[in-house]
Amino acid sequence: MFHAAGDTGSTRGPESQNLVWDKMVNDFTDEEKEQPLFLFHLGDVIYSFGEAQYYYDQFYEPYRDYPAPILALAGNHDGMVAPRTSATSLAAFLENFCAETFEVTSEAGGLVRTAQIQPGVFFTFEAPLIRILALYSNTLEDPGVIASPTIGTSQLTYLETALNRVKSDKFDGALILAHHHPAYTAGGKHGWSQEMLSQIDDICSKTGVVMQDLREWLVRVSRKDRARRLSWQFQILSESWNEAFSAASRRGKFDCACCALRRRRGKVANDILGNVVLAGPRPGSPCLMPQRRSVLAPITTSI
């Protein structure tokens, strides 16, 4: 089992954010529940601009008692920088989530949580029975963009390579494509990222990896019972994943990592990542994004 949350940055104070994280921390002491192995953050760690000065109040302080590793994909606010500043887009995200080693950054303000060692802003996260392909959907408020003449096609190259490896490895676990902006949605504040969806579909068709298509199902769900059906679907998925992770934790190295995590509760347990694989592009330099939020930015990583 693992936690997943997004859009957690808060500019109005930590009260509501702390309520959520306190409940998540309680999951590690509830003997009737499987303990989470990690948190996968779905983007917008920081609001409204993803600069280093906001990381302590909006990330390190709220998570100070969270005893498991935290991985993250970058959201649009994580890549934004305030106008007329010298900050570089994504520089703070790279420093705190894509470090070369597990080190305590200055943004942590003396807290013990270390930076994460993700290989880049798009990467593959592998754990028993699950593989997550994390993409970066850029700095626009809407829609999400993973490739264009402005930012290049490096993420499409990565996605094709990652999906081909899924086939060559004959991976039969859960495969998830994760990105901050919705590729499609039934209602809600943000609209569909139709170009992004088309690009992902083209790569899936090219590689022969079929992803479950929820679009037709979402359109058929009426407004009257949408919430009930979605709740049921997610409950079934959650129960299946929990059972899978429970089975995986009873055998092999993952059990050892869980035991170590329980023994070290209250401390940073990034060493659990020794039992998973992070694969993907390591950034050669920070992404040189323009400082205006309405402009896309080139991604300077390489495969």
Side-chain angles (χ1 to χ4, degrees):
M1 184 179 74
F2 65 94
H3 284 139
D7 294 292
T8 62
S10 176
T11 59
R12 300 180 180 180
E15 290 80 8
S16 58
Q17 188 177 6
N18 287 343
L19 290 174
V20 177
W21 303 133
D22 287 346
K23 182 62 178 70
M24 293 173 67
V25 170
N26 287 341
D27 287 344
F28 292 90
T29 58
D30 191 335
E31 296 181 356
E32 297 181 358
K33 296 181 179 179
E34 286 289 328
Q35 292 194 4
L37 299 178
F38 57 90
L39 165 62
F40 194 91
H41 199 289
L42 303 177
D44 282 357
V45 181
I46 306 300
Y47 283 150
S48 289
F49 301 102
E51 298 166 19
Q53 67 194 69
Y54 305 117
Y55 266 77
Y56 179 82
D57 288 340
Q58 298 187 38
F59 177 70
Y60 285 104
E61 171 60 26
Y63 291 100
R64 65 184 305 157
D65 295 323
Y66 190 83
I70 300 175
L71 297 94
L73 54 83
N76 57 305
H77 286 278
D78 299 315
M80 290 180 183
V81 295
R84 296 183 295 278
T85 67
S86 59
T88 301
S89 177
L90 284 177
F93 182 89
L94 291 172
E95 179 178 356
N96 289 280
F97 287 101
C98 306
E100 293 288 340
T101 60
F102 293 123
E103 59 186 9
V104 177
T105 66
S106 59
E107 288 83 358
L111 299 179
V112 296
R113 176 167 295 281
T114 67
Q116 196 49 266
I117 58 167
Q118 298 169 191
V121 294
F122 49 98
F123 61 95
T124 299
F125 176 68
E126 298 181 11
L129 306 180
I130 191 170
R131 187 172 294 187
I132 302 175
L133 310 183
L135 299 171
Y136 175 49
S137 51
N138 226 280
T139 57
L140 298 180
E141 187 68 23
D142 198 19
V145 180
I146 59 172
S148 75
T150 303
I151 67 175
T153 60
S154 56
Q155 291 200 84
L156 299 184
T157 302
Y158 153 73
L159 183 58
E160 181 177 353
T161 302
L163 291 179
N164 279 326
R165 191 161 67 88
V166 168
K167 292 188 64 176
S168 64
D169 292 346
K170 297 181 179 179
F171 179 71
D172 59 358
L175 177 63
I176 298 176
L177 267 63
H179 36 79
H180 182 70
H181 294 81
Y184 45 81
T185 179
K189 179 179 179 180
H190 296 290
W192 291 24
S193 300
Q194 298 187 39
E195 183 176 3
M196 179 172 67
L197 178 60
S198 176
Q199 292 167 341
I200 292 174
D201 283 347
D202 289 345
I203 296 296
C204 289
S205 298
K206 183 177 181 180
T207 59
V209 176
V210 179
M211 304 293 292
Q212 183 178 5
D213 193 342
L214 297 179
R215 284 170 292 173
E216 184 178 351
W217 179 83
L218 284 170
V219 171
R220 291 200 309 267
V221 174
S222 68
R223 292 185 180 274
K224 182 177 180 180
D225 63 355
R226 178 182 297 145
R228 176 178 60 82
R229 296 195 186 186
L230 285 174
S231 176
W232 178 80
Q233 290 285 337
F234 288 137
Q235 180 181 355
I236 296 298
L237 287 173
S238 178
E239 289 174 355
S240 299
W241 286 339
N242 290 347
E243 290 172 3
F245 273 102
S246 178
S249 68
R250 287 194 294 269
R251 33 176 221 274
K253 295 182 179 180
F254 231 70
D255 182 59
C256 299
C258 290
C259 292
L261 182 60
R262 294 187 183 99
R263 289 194 300 270
R264 296 178 59 189
R265 185 176 294 117
K267 297 183 179 180
V268 180
N270 270 317
D271 57 333
I272 196 174
L273 288 174
N275 297 310
V276 298
V277 178
L278 286 168
R282 180 168 295 282
S285 60
C287 301
L288 302 177
M289 286 201 169
Q291 295 180 7
R292 292 181 57 191
R293 62 187 292 178
S294 61
V295 181
L296 298 180
I299 299 174
T300 58
T301 54
S302 59
I303 301 296

